[in-house]
Amino acid sequence: MNDFGSTDVNTDRFLTATEAAELLKVSVADVHELINSGELQAFQVGSRGPWRIEHDILELFIAEQYEISRRSAMWNNSSLASANNITDF
């Protein structure tokens, strides 16, 4: 049964920009930048209302950031390995 009066960010379906910022350990302005750039999916309640981010969407965003970081590290390591091979000749 849902407790709609709950403010526990670990169980609520939707987060505010402030709650998302707290979880990501960034500023609210950073969260708004992510929303405005389309990197983080969110919706506005009403035409000028507050932003809401679905908890599952934030978790997906975090997983995607880990994957981007992993791929970047692999790319950087492979580039260094190739550069080292060239200088061995």
Side-chain angles (χ1 to χ4, degrees):
M1 187 163 161
N2 284 334
D3 178 12
F4 291 106
S6 170
T7 58
D8 182 3
V9 296
N10 293 320
T11 60
D12 286 349
R13 179 176 178 186
F14 298 107
L15 302 168
T16 64
T18 300
E19 291 168 336
E22 289 173 6
L23 288 171
L24 294 172
K25 306 291 190 235
V26 299
S27 71
V28 175
D30 289 338
V31 170
H32 283 156
E33 276 186 48
L34 291 169
I35 292 169
N36 291 332
S37 72
E39 292 178 72
L40 179 60
Q41 294 178 9
F43 66 93
Q44 219 167 357
V45 179
S47 61
R48 294 183 174 216
W51 286 99
R52 293 294 181 258
I53 302 130
E54 194 166 356
H55 199 279
D56 289 345
I57 296 294
L58 184 63
E59 292 298 326
L60 181 60
F61 171 79
I62 292 167
E64 288 171 350
Q65 296 307 302
Y66 275 119
E67 180 61 16
I68 290 168
S69 178
R70 185 188 70 79
R71 288 181 182 191
S72 177
M74 286 178 60
W75 175 259
N76 290 336
N77 287 338
S78 68
S79 296
L80 289 175
S82 297
N84 287 338
N85 291 340
I86 293 171
T87 59
D88 288 341
F89 290 106

